[in-house]
Amino acid sequence: MITSYHDSPLGLMRSRSAGEPRADIPEIVVVQGMAVAGYLLPGVRALGEWTRAHLLELPGLAGSGEPPHELSIPEYGQAVAAWLTATRTRPVLLAGHSSGTQVAAEAAPGHPLVAGLMLASPTVDPAVRPLPRLALRFVQEGRLEPPGMTRSHLPEWRRAGIRRLAHLVRASLRNDIEASLRRLTVPLLVLRGADDLLSTPQWARRLVATAPEGRYAELPGAHGFPFLDPHAWSKPAQQFARTL
């Protein structure tokens, strides 16, 4: 896996890449989840078996540099869009996992290099959006995930710190991903773990319906299904990418 850095106006951004680019299929760029990125590395390696796959880390999080101020979800989206413009030359499949779906949904509309958008375990379902309910679901969800996933989060959560984590939660709750998707002009794929307690299948299908062309697939596992089975999202992502 190759590590690269890009110095954007909103902070230094680290990316880690696997696989080789192919002329017949777009590269895929995956935006990290809620302050954490390492748990997605096995899944990105699996995507790299059929294309060039990149794990993109947001300013102030994981291995990226500090932002000039605490960023909103739209500003994180601007950082991703600027990274795409500065580092890519061919159309890509832009993806996100968990809260990274909100950032990817902000970056995708109107960007000339985004050929399609993939949202894995999208957030935040209005059914769980009130903070006390979300906190309860988060605890319940954690009991369904492999213990190793939570352990992998700890160094990155410590790096972010309590204040930034609290800011990220508030920013995610304020963001309306459906509004972002209504501006989308490219195909959309939504993937949801069948046991995900942070979203409902009804809401995931509603997200699909907001796009001009959408697909939905349900996969085994909970919210962090790419960690449980790194290849779980590879087949639907590859099938989707071949249509772009």
Side-chain angles (χ1 to χ4, degrees), residues 44-181:
V44 170
R45 289 190 184 97
L47 297 172
E49 293 174 4
W50 50 267
T51 189
R52 183 76 161 163
H54 310 270
L55 176 59
L56 184 57
E57 299 170 18
L58 301 172
L61 305 172
S64 290
E66 284 295 303
H69 56 269
E70 294 298 340
L71 304 181
S72 65
I73 298 299
E75 286 176 315
Y76 281 125
Q78 291 168 21
V80 170
W83 183 89
L84 291 171
T85 300
T87 67
R88 315 271 38 95
T89 58
R90 295 176 55 233
V92 304
L93 168 56
L94 181 61
H97 180 260
S98 190
S99 65
T101 61
Q102 294 175 279
V103 176
E106 287 282 349
H111 197 290
L113 292 178
V114 177
L117 178 64
M118 183 176 89
L119 307 180
S121 305
T123 56
V124 178
D125 190 327
V128 300
R129 193 164 291 182
L131 186 55
R133 188 180 303 169
L134 178 61
L136 176 61
R137 289 291 186 95
F138 183 79
V139 171
Q140 294 171 331
E141 176 72 30
R143 295 170 181 161
L144 299 177
E145 304 288 8
M149 191 177 83
T150 300
R151 286 197 299 270
S152 76
H153 291 342
L154 295 178
E156 293 171 307
W157 280 341
R158 281 195 292 267
R159 184 266 155 107
I162 293 175
R163 288 186 179 181
R164 181 162 289 162
L165 287 171
H167 166 77
L168 287 169
V169 172
R170 290 193 298 268
S172 294
L173 290 172
R174 285 194 295 264
N175 179 257
D176 183 359
I177 191 173
E178 293 178 63
S180 302
L181 295 179

